[in-house]
Amino acid sequence: MKNGLFISFEGPDGSGKSSTMAFIGHLLQEKGYSVVLTKEPGGDEIGQQIRQILLNPMNQEIHPITEAFLYAADRAQHVQKIILPALQAGKIVLCDRYVDSQIAYQGYGRGFLSKDFLYDLNHMASGGLLPDLTLLLLVKPEIGLMRSKIRDHGQSDRMEQEAFAFHQKTCQGYLDLAKEHPQRIFTVDAEKPQAEVVEICWQKISSFLKEQGK
Ligand code: TYD
């Protein structure tokens, strides 16, 4: 039985979702909510080991199928060990990336596996668990990549090192996902100043909590 609420944050690399999520987590805690902040890949110890394989720039030989299964394996571990127990305990789970990342990156970005295959794979990995609400922070790929370069002092990971066309396709994926799931996915213009982005996300989450009677 799931009593909590599951909110994911999505967006291209450098969209500012991690820091926005941290602000939102803090605001929710101040209001007295019990909140769990987590991320993919790497939500627990096992997930961290999978993350190392996935993001290590040395691992150029990972095949797109292997990559998809590794992200899915990380998700299975994360759902079972972190997300579901927290939701069952009535907590609000804020998750930095989830299934939409897989569709945008392994689906649109790689262009190797079909969306249907990836949805089936994720259904198996997550047991069909979807977020109650997804905040999608959108920035143009050139802006996102520039921001993550500055943030990481030029030390980009294996995914960030992908060609610009890969990131463009990923962004297109997110736009399509937002059109396909308008009930669940709320899009935010993340090129605005961060304080404004946090405020827009906070307004959305506050009204969502009210609607849910929380
Ligand atoms: P991370 O350092 O967490 O990036 P960010 O701070 O931008 O969220 O790295 C996660 C990377 O993994 C990111 O490039 C997106 C990618 N990813 C996928 O390709 N598929 C997935 O299913 C997930 C969860 C992430």
Side-chain angles (χ1 to χ4, degrees):
M1 226 337 238
K2 152 182 174 312
N3 309 311
L5 274 183
F6 181 20
I7 301 174
S8 64
F9 287 74
E10 290 281 355
D13 292 274
S15 55
K17 59 187 168 37
S18 310
S19 38
T20 302
M21 192 180 102
F23 276 116
I24 297 289
H26 189 69
L27 290 169
L28 285 168
Q29 276 158 348
E30 271 185 353
K31 296 262 172 205
Y33 291 101
S34 185
V35 187
V36 170
L37 283 89
T38 187
K39 69 177 292 172
E40 289 192 3
D44 77 346
E45 271 297 312
I46 304 288
Q48 278 295 327
Q49 294 178 48
I50 300 174
R51 180 184 171 92
Q52 302 263 320
I53 302 172
L54 280 164
L55 299 186
N56 185 345
M58 303 289 282
N59 290 339
Q60 294 299 324
E61 287 304 312
I62 296 184
H63 190 274
I65 301 177
T66 316
E67 180 182 273
F69 275 83
L70 283 172
Y71 277 111
D74 168 71
R75 186 155 305 121
Q77 178 72 11
H78 193 209
V79 167
Q80 294 301 326
K81 294 287 184 177
I82 307 283
I83 302 177
L84 271 183
L87 293 176
Q88 281 158 354
K91 297 184 179 173
I92 297 180
V93 175
L94 301 182
C95 187
D96 190 341
R97 298 195 182 279
Y98 192 66
V99 172
D100 299 306
S101 282
Q102 178 114 63
I103 304 298
Y105 284 78
Q106 280 67 60
Y108 284 78
R110 291 274 175 249
F112 186 85
L113 294 165
S114 74
K115 239 173 165 176
D116 282 350
F117 177 90
L118 289 166
Y119 273 124
D120 286 349
L121 176 65
N122 273 284
H123 196 271
M124 282 186 276
S126 67
L129 178 72
L130 279 175
D132 299 300
L133 172 68
T134 296
L135 294 163
L136 171 57
L137 274 57
L138 284 176
V139 288
K140 285 192 259 327
E142 52 270 38
I143 294 182
L145 288 173
M146 192 181 65
R147 283 187 188 170
S148 41
K149 240 183 216 148
I150 295 169
R151 180 195 62 195
D152 303 335
H153 308 289
Q155 300 251 302
S156 46
D157 65 37
R158 190 180 64 88
M159 301 302 278
E160 286 161 350
Q161 283 181 5
E162 283 297 331
F164 184 62
F166 173 88
H167 294 284
Q168 277 179 313
K169 285 187 269 178
T170 299
C171 286
Q172 186 56 50
Y174 275 129
L175 292 173
D176 287 0
L177 281 165
K179 274 191 213 132
E180 281 164 27
H181 306 282
Q183 296 286 10
R184 173 174 64 84
I185 301 181
F186 178 75
T187 302
V188 181
D189 175 1
E191 289 181 19
K192 290 185 169 160
Q194 184 168 41
E196 251 181 83
V197 173
V198 171
E199 179 58 25
I200 294 166
C201 292
W202 178 242
Q203 292 304 330
K204 178 65 194 175
I205 289 178
S206 305
S207 58
F208 184 72
L209 289 172
K210 265 194 206 130
E211 277 165 38
Q212 302 294 314
K214 300 272 181 192

